Amino acid sequence: MQLLVFAHRAEAQTFLKLGNFKSVETTGNDLFFNSESYLLICGEGTMAALEMVSASLGLLKGKVTSVLNFGVAGSLSKKVIVDEIYEVRTAYAEIGSQIEFKSYSTKSTSLLDCISASNRVVNSEYAQHLSCFAQIVDREYWAIARAASNFTITFKAYKLISDNALENNSDEPICELVKTNSEYYSDRLYKHYKSLNSEVTNVEEKRLIDSYKDLYFTVSQYRQYRTVLKSLLSKYESEDEILKRVGMSIILEMEVLPKQKSQMVLEKMRELLTPFNTILNGKINTVLSPLKRANIQVKLSKNLESSMFNINASIRSESDLLQISTALSKFDFEQYQKLLKGDFNV
Amino acid sequence: MFETIFVEKHLASTKRARSILNKFPKANVTVIESVDDVFGKVKKPYLQKRETLNLFLGEKKGTLVKAAPDAYGLSGEPHYYFIHAYNCIYECNYCYLQGYFHSPDIVIFLNHEEICQEIERVALLEQEKGNTPWFHAGEFSDSLALSHITGELSLYHDLFSRIPYAKLELRTKSANIKPLKDLPPRENIITTFSLSPADKIKKNDLKTPSLKARLRAIKELAKLDHPIGIHFDPVVYDDGFEEKYRELIAEMLEVLPHEKLEYISVGVVRFTKNVFEQVKKNYPKSELLSTELIKSFDGKVRYNRPMRLWILSTIKELLLKASIAKEKIYLCMEDED
């Protein structure tokens, strides 16, 4: 469910009225719910908002999938027009008299950012200072975004511009204006909310591999398939091209179980993902084969960053000792070192 | 191009600042006390440079010329870099700048005279020690991309004309050579171009001039006898790697005769952990992420040692086969390599 957050009850009045919201009894009189969403009045200022939103998300843990902030805000730029509603891209904040480094971004395509000021913006000099960082000013969005982010919940904000903060010179007229027009503002925000396509249906994409009935992927294999495919799609055009490169037609004709065919597809795909290292590992295995044949366990350096390697073997008899000694004498260390220094043909 | 231009108060009425401001009549102009009051104060997402890029005009304070880290340039000589700008108009998806300043906005410093004085002072000290000092201009920005707007090139040209015992490297991915063409060539001013196979430029050097455009620029400058250096850096491996570099070398030599090539450096793609995290965040579909990268001995993310050594030696072989003198080839290797 969504959590709709407003700083003031007046901004939420239409939502409360038309949304048939009921109070969540265990809390004060600030958190509401209906069949589709929760609604919170968080109060003005970053401290109040951070506290209220964090507490509510804690209380509603697991129930909230996204946080939407609606409210009235001021313009800090010519391109932000009074009486328009804008989606916000990034939330910045002023904490005390300092600009806070941490910011919170949405995936919105909007080009407008919002700074949550620590005080009401009542003079143009203050507004000018804030305009260096964002085009919209409010008092709480950064805190709402921070709380949502802490709970790894997606967030968005829609701001209805009530005034041009760069032209403000006194607190009273603006606050008066906002109070007088609060019903109008709330109506506008509610209509905007209703027009939003709030739920994106998450339909799992059908994969070409699903059409091959001769393959059988276990759940784990299928998950691996999707992961490897995702990486390969940054190298190749399509799943179709990848499956052709994997040699799908040859694998399908093999007389093995469907599950084994799926495993082969996965192995070939991994080779496609790491073509260089597939060749390199093949060469290393060839050089190490005398040791492996003598049951000597070989542990190479991590990520092949060094030529050094460890061996481990069990000696139970003279013949074991002889076998190990013969294997070590057959082992071409120079060739191994050459491989680790990249001295070979691919 | 720029949404807002922030200019430091004491520079706002200078000729240099006004000349830049006049080139962007549509940008908002905000006068600030200091670049540091705004730039980097908040974490601005890197990709916002695509839509809302700001420009800062200020004065570089603190150390103006810094000693370059080891393995920076040609070995054997002292290397320094000077900072006349932060950030870049281009968007190479492997670029370390995306994790560096916490803001993609561009800062241009205007106190070039002071920077020049400091370069001269350091150069003199090195000359007294019998060294040939190198000064690099592209540590935090592209040396030429905005030079037609910033107009500082002639100042540095004058300086290095006066101190021929020191070398200046102008490192670029641009094809913006007009301001340089207007200046006479100097043996100690080397313009170096970063080149990659055409498809790699398209995929990774986002918003930069194509390979063709860069090669055209090289051809023009070489014809005018400007010394040219080349960087094959970062090299990204893929299926057709060897063939692509063979072709690139051939194309390069078509426009740049052997004798006019000062040097060529080769470096394999690598990232600090932080930059790699930024690449994952900013370019989740990039081919760089699906290549065979590992966390290396020093915490950097790169190909494993056999692979990077193989890549370096393969390119070196290709260069030697193309009759490029061994002394002109420089492989960027780490200590462990």
Side-chain angles (χ1 to χ4, degrees), chain B residues 280-305:
Chain B
K280 283 203 273 189
K281 187 179 155 201
N282 294 329
Y283 307 100
K285 291 183 176 170
S286 162
E287 64 159 4
L288 297 174
L289 301 174
S290 65
T291 52
E292 303 165 66
L293 298 164
I294 54 118
K295 194 175 166 190
S296 186
F297 65 95
D298 53 1
K300 283 188 185 166
V301 176
R302 49 161 78 90
Y303 298 135
N304 65 26
R305 186 164 166 260

mmCIF file of all heavy atoms in Angstrom, chain B residues 280-305:
data_model
loop_
_atom_site.group_PDB
_atom_site.id
_atom_site.type_symbol
_atom_site.label_atom_id
_atom_site.label_comp_id
_atom_site.label_asym_id
_atom_site.label_seq_id
_atom_site.Cartn_x
_atom_site.Cartn_y
_atom_site.Cartn_z
ATOM 1 N N LYS B 280 28.052 0.754 -11.837
ATOM 2 C CA LYS B 280 26.918 -0.184 -11.689
ATOM 3 C C LYS B 280 25.609 0.577 -11.534
ATOM 4 O O LYS B 280 24.575 0.188 -12.045
ATOM 5 C CB LYS B 280 27.148 -1.090 -10.472
ATOM 6 C CG LYS B 280 28.162 -2.184 -10.749
ATOM 7 C CD LYS B 280 27.990 -3.350 -9.812
ATOM 8 C CE LYS B 280 28.756 -3.135 -8.547
ATOM 9 N NZ LYS B 280 28.812 -4.298 -7.673
ATOM 10 N N LYS B 281 25.700 1.681 -10.796
ATOM 11 C CA LYS B 281 24.491 2.466 -10.534
ATOM 12 C C LYS B 281 24.070 3.266 -11.778
ATOM 13 O O LYS B 281 22.895 3.289 -12.139
ATOM 14 C CB LYS B 281 24.796 3.422 -9.380
ATOM 15 C CG LYS B 281 23.616 4.173 -8.871
ATOM 16 C CD LYS B 281 24.035 5.058 -7.710
ATOM 17 C CE LYS B 281 23.080 6.218 -7.600
ATOM 18 N NZ LYS B 281 23.630 7.351 -6.887
ATOM 19 N N ASN B 282 25.054 3.889 -12.409
ATOM 20 C CA ASN B 282 24.729 4.787 -13.516
ATOM 21 C C ASN B 282 24.521 4.074 -14.851
ATOM 22 O O ASN B 282 23.753 4.529 -15.686
ATOM 23 C CB ASN B 282 25.832 5.836 -13.689
ATOM 24 C CG ASN B 282 25.919 6.775 -12.498
ATOM 25 O OD1 ASN B 282 24.923 7.051 -11.840
ATOM 26 N ND2 ASN B 282 27.116 7.265 -12.214
ATOM 27 N N TYR B 283 25.250 2.977 -15.042
ATOM 28 C CA TYR B 283 25.181 2.291 -16.342
ATOM 29 C C TYR B 283 24.976 0.792 -16.133
ATOM 30 O O TYR B 283 25.848 -0.021 -16.475
ATOM 31 C CB TYR B 283 26.466 2.545 -17.145
ATOM 32 C CG TYR B 283 26.785 4.006 -17.276
ATOM 33 C CD1 TYR B 283 27.735 4.610 -16.448
ATOM 34 C CD2 TYR B 283 26.106 4.807 -18.199
ATOM 35 C CE1 TYR B 283 28.005 5.963 -16.543
ATOM 36 C CE2 TYR B 283 26.378 6.152 -18.299
ATOM 37 C CZ TYR B 283 27.326 6.730 -17.469
ATOM 38 O OH TYR B 283 27.589 8.066 -17.560
ATOM 39 N N PRO B 284 23.854 0.404 -15.541
ATOM 40 C CA PRO B 284 23.673 -1.016 -15.199
ATOM 41 C C PRO B 284 23.677 -1.937 -16.406
ATOM 42 O O PRO B 284 23.901 -3.130 -16.262
ATOM 43 C CB PRO B 284 22.312 -1.026 -14.485
ATOM 44 C CG PRO B 284 21.631 0.234 -14.891
ATOM 45 C CD PRO B 284 22.698 1.231 -15.163
ATOM 46 N N LYS B 285 23.440 -1.388 -17.592
ATOM 47 C CA LYS B 285 23.421 -2.257 -18.778
ATOM 48 C C LYS B 285 24.728 -2.179 -19.557
ATOM 49 O O LYS B 285 24.818 -2.714 -20.662
ATOM 50 C CB LYS B 285 22.250 -1.880 -19.683
ATOM 51 C CG LYS B 285 20.912 -2.240 -19.064
ATOM 52 C CD LYS B 285 19.780 -1.935 -19.988
ATOM 53 C CE LYS B 285 18.477 -2.401 -19.346
ATOM 54 N NZ LYS B 285 17.320 -1.928 -20.089
ATOM 55 N N SER B 286 25.728 -1.544 -18.993
ATOM 56 C CA SER B 286 26.988 -1.387 -19.714
ATOM 57 C C SER B 286 27.699 -2.727 -19.898
ATOM 58 O O SER B 286 27.708 -3.570 -19.007
ATOM 59 C CB SER B 286 27.905 -0.445 -18.942
ATOM 60 O OG SER B 286 29.228 -0.596 -19.381
ATOM 61 N N GLU B 287 28.311 -2.876 -21.060
ATOM 62 C CA GLU B 287 29.065 -4.107 -21.325
ATOM 63 C C GLU B 287 30.247 -4.243 -20.364
ATOM 64 O O GLU B 287 30.745 -5.334 -20.116
ATOM 65 C CB GLU B 287 29.573 -4.136 -22.767
ATOM 66 C CG GLU B 287 30.576 -3.040 -23.069
ATOM 67 C CD GLU B 287 31.456 -3.325 -24.275
ATOM 68 O OE1 GLU B 287 31.264 -4.334 -24.939
ATOM 69 O OE2 GLU B 287 32.337 -2.487 -24.531
ATOM 70 N N LEU B 288 30.698 -3.125 -19.812
ATOM 71 C CA LEU B 288 31.842 -3.173 -18.890
ATOM 72 C C LEU B 288 31.544 -4.096 -17.708
ATOM 73 O O LEU B 288 32.432 -4.741 -17.166
ATOM 74 C CB LEU B 288 32.145 -1.782 -18.341
ATOM 75 C CG LEU B 288 32.581 -0.711 -19.339
ATOM 76 C CD1 LEU B 288 32.689 0.624 -18.650
ATOM 77 C CD2 LEU B 288 33.910 -1.095 -19.967
ATOM 78 N N LEU B 289 30.288 -4.124 -17.309
ATOM 79 C CA LEU B 289 29.920 -4.908 -16.130
ATOM 80 C C LEU B 289 29.863 -6.403 -16.404
ATOM 81 O O LEU B 289 29.898 -7.206 -15.483
ATOM 82 C CB LEU B 289 28.576 -4.424 -15.580
ATOM 83 C CG LEU B 289 28.537 -2.955 -15.165
ATOM 84 C CD1 LEU B 289 27.129 -2.548 -14.780
ATOM 85 C CD2 LEU B 289 29.497 -2.703 -14.021
ATOM 86 N N SER B 290 29.736 -6.739 -17.680
ATOM 87 C CA SER B 290 29.612 -8.172 -17.978
ATOM 88 C C SER B 290 30.942 -8.741 -18.455
ATOM 89 O O SER B 290 31.023 -9.874 -18.887
ATOM 90 C CB SER B 290 28.533 -8.402 -19.025
ATOM 91 O OG SER B 290 28.929 -7.801 -20.231
ATOM 92 N N THR B 291 31.994 -7.935 -18.408
ATOM 93 C CA THR B 291 33.291 -8.474 -18.808
ATOM 94 C C THR B 291 33.930 -9.174 -17.609
ATOM 95 O O THR B 291 33.394 -9.163 -16.509
ATOM 96 C CB THR B 291 34.217 -7.371 -19.364
ATOM 97 O OG1 THR B 291 34.263 -6.322 -18.424
ATOM 98 C CG2 THR B 291 33.717 -6.852 -20.696
ATOM 99 N N GLU B 292 35.133 -9.708 -17.855
ATOM 100 C CA GLU B 292 35.710 -10.633 -16.875
ATOM 101 C C GLU B 292 36.505 -9.909 -15.792
ATOM 102 O O GLU B 292 37.705 -10.089 -15.669
ATOM 103 C CB GLU B 292 36.552 -11.654 -17.636
ATOM 104 C CG GLU B 292 35.706 -12.378 -18.669
ATOM 105 C CD GLU B 292 36.500 -13.142 -19.696
ATOM 106 O OE1 GLU B 292 37.150 -14.111 -19.331
ATOM 107 O OE2 GLU B 292 36.443 -12.780 -20.877
ATOM 108 N N LEU B 293 35.826 -9.082 -15.030
ATOM 109 C CA LEU B 293 36.524 -8.260 -14.038
ATOM 110 C C LEU B 293 36.605 -8.952 -12.681
ATOM 111 O O LEU B 293 35.702 -9.690 -12.298
ATOM 112 C CB LEU B 293 35.795 -6.923 -13.886
ATOM 113 C CG LEU B 293 35.742 -6.065 -15.149
ATOM 114 C CD1 LEU B 293 34.696 -4.974 -15.016
ATOM 115 C CD2 LEU B 293 37.106 -5.448 -15.446
ATOM 116 N N ILE B 294 37.662 -8.656 -11.978
ATOM 117 C CA ILE B 294 37.847 -9.219 -10.631
ATOM 118 C C ILE B 294 38.318 -8.111 -9.698
ATOM 119 O O ILE B 294 38.740 -7.048 -10.146
ATOM 120 C CB ILE B 294 38.906 -10.354 -10.622
ATOM 121 C CG1 ILE B 294 40.229 -9.849 -11.257
ATOM 122 C CG2 ILE B 294 38.418 -11.567 -11.340
ATOM 123 C CD1 ILE B 294 41.385 -9.836 -10.375
ATOM 124 N N LYS B 295 38.248 -8.374 -8.400
ATOM 125 C CA LYS B 295 38.824 -7.427 -7.444
ATOM 126 C C LYS B 295 40.309 -7.792 -7.311
ATOM 127 O O LYS B 295 40.645 -8.892 -6.903
ATOM 128 C CB LYS B 295 38.101 -7.551 -6.100
ATOM 129 C CG LYS B 295 38.409 -6.405 -5.190
ATOM 130 C CD LYS B 295 37.570 -6.512 -3.936
ATOM 131 C CE LYS B 295 38.110 -5.581 -2.876
ATOM 132 N NZ LYS B 295 37.499 -5.815 -1.585
ATOM 133 N N SER B 296 41.145 -6.827 -7.652
ATOM 134 C CA SER B 296 42.569 -7.125 -7.791
ATOM 135 C C SER B 296 43.358 -6.936 -6.489
ATOM 136 O O SER B 296 42.791 -6.588 -5.467
ATOM 137 C CB SER B 296 43.111 -6.209 -8.885
ATOM 138 O OG SER B 296 44.426 -6.507 -9.174
ATOM 139 N N PHE B 297 44.679 -7.130 -6.581
ATOM 140 C CA PHE B 297 45.556 -7.112 -5.392
ATOM 141 C C PHE B 297 45.463 -5.829 -4.578
ATOM 142 O O PHE B 297 45.647 -5.827 -3.377
ATOM 143 C CB PHE B 297 47.011 -7.342 -5.820
ATOM 144 C CG PHE B 297 47.582 -6.240 -6.679
ATOM 145 C CD1 PHE B 297 48.305 -5.214 -6.110
ATOM 146 C CD2 PHE B 297 47.368 -6.230 -8.052
ATOM 147 C CE1 PHE B 297 48.820 -4.189 -6.897
ATOM 148 C CE2 PHE B 297 47.871 -5.212 -8.842
ATOM 149 C CZ PHE B 297 48.604 -4.194 -8.265
ATOM 150 N N ASP B 298 45.168 -4.706 -5.265
ATOM 151 C CA ASP B 298 45.142 -3.421 -4.559
ATOM 152 C C ASP B 298 43.719 -2.922 -4.320
ATOM 153 O O ASP B 298 43.512 -1.759 -4.012
ATOM 154 C CB ASP B 298 45.929 -2.387 -5.361
ATOM 155 C CG ASP B 298 45.447 -2.302 -6.807
ATOM 156 O OD1 ASP B 298 44.501 -3.033 -7.160
ATOM 157 O OD2 ASP B 298 46.004 -1.508 -7.580
ATOM 158 N N GLY B 299 42.757 -3.806 -4.487
ATOM 159 C CA GLY B 299 41.360 -3.434 -4.254
ATOM 160 C C GLY B 299 40.693 -2.862 -5.493
ATOM 161 O O GLY B 299 39.480 -2.672 -5.520
ATOM 162 N N LYS B 300 41.485 -2.568 -6.532
ATOM 163 C CA LYS B 300 40.875 -2.043 -7.759
ATOM 164 C C LYS B 300 40.192 -3.179 -8.523
ATOM 165 O O LYS B 300 40.593 -4.344 -8.414
ATOM 166 C CB LYS B 300 41.933 -1.399 -8.650
ATOM 167 C CG LYS B 300 42.345 -0.019 -8.168
ATOM 168 C CD LYS B 300 43.241 0.652 -9.174
ATOM 169 C CE LYS B 300 43.736 1.976 -8.621
ATOM 170 N NZ LYS B 300 44.838 2.523 -9.389
ATOM 171 N N VAL B 301 39.188 -2.785 -9.303
ATOM 172 C CA VAL B 301 38.473 -3.782 -10.110
ATOM 173 C C VAL B 301 39.084 -3.756 -11.510
ATOM 174 O O VAL B 301 39.132 -2.697 -12.139
ATOM 175 C CB VAL B 301 36.968 -3.463 -10.150
ATOM 176 C CG1 VAL B 301 36.225 -4.437 -11.054
ATOM 177 C CG2 VAL B 301 36.385 -3.500 -8.743
ATOM 178 N N ARG B 302 39.564 -4.885 -11.977
ATOM 179 C CA ARG B 302 40.199 -4.963 -13.300
ATOM 180 C C ARG B 302 40.188 -6.413 -13.770
ATOM 181 O O ARG B 302 39.671 -7.287 -13.076
ATOM 182 C CB ARG B 302 41.625 -4.422 -13.232
ATOM 183 C CG ARG B 302 42.471 -4.965 -12.099
ATOM 184 C CD ARG B 302 43.939 -4.742 -12.385
ATOM 185 N NE ARG B 302 44.413 -3.392 -12.141
ATOM 186 C CZ ARG B 302 44.901 -2.939 -10.986
ATOM 187 N NH1 ARG B 302 44.928 -3.744 -9.933
ATOM 188 N NH2 ARG B 302 45.347 -1.721 -10.854
ATOM 189 N N TYR B 303 40.732 -6.673 -14.958
ATOM 190 C CA TYR B 303 40.855 -8.050 -15.424
ATOM 191 C C TYR B 303 41.924 -8.745 -14.585
ATOM 192 O O TYR B 303 42.792 -8.084 -14.007
ATOM 193 C CB TYR B 303 41.308 -8.082 -16.889
ATOM 194 C CG TYR B 303 40.342 -7.428 -17.852
ATOM 195 C CD1 TYR B 303 40.792 -6.564 -18.840
ATOM 196 C CD2 TYR B 303 38.978 -7.688 -17.781
ATOM 197 C CE1 TYR B 303 39.914 -5.966 -19.731
ATOM 198 C CE2 TYR B 303 38.087 -7.088 -18.671
ATOM 199 C CZ TYR B 303 38.568 -6.232 -19.645
ATOM 200 O OH TYR B 303 37.697 -5.642 -20.514
ATOM 201 N N ASN B 304 41.889 -10.072 -14.550
ATOM 202 C CA ASN B 304 42.937 -10.756 -13.782
ATOM 203 C C ASN B 304 44.302 -10.567 -14.459
ATOM 204 O O ASN B 304 44.387 -10.146 -15.608
ATOM 205 C CB ASN B 304 42.591 -12.224 -13.522
ATOM 206 C CG ASN B 304 42.526 -13.054 -14.792
ATOM 207 O OD1 ASN B 304 43.164 -12.724 -15.784
ATOM 208 N ND2 ASN B 304 41.748 -14.123 -14.760
ATOM 209 N N ARG B 305 45.339 -10.852 -13.715
ATOM 210 C CA ARG B 305 46.688 -10.510 -14.154
ATOM 211 C C ARG B 305 47.067 -11.137 -15.510
ATOM 212 O O ARG B 305 47.559 -10.430 -16.401
ATOM 213 C CB ARG B 305 47.681 -10.911 -13.055
ATOM 214 C CG ARG B 305 49.106 -10.493 -13.305
ATOM 215 C CD ARG B 305 49.881 -10.595 -11.995
ATOM 216 N NE ARG B 305 51.303 -10.540 -12.188
ATOM 217 C CZ ARG B 305 52.113 -11.603 -12.196
ATOM 218 N NH1 ARG B 305 51.605 -12.810 -12.043
ATOM 219 N NH2 ARG B 305 53.398 -11.446 -12.352
#
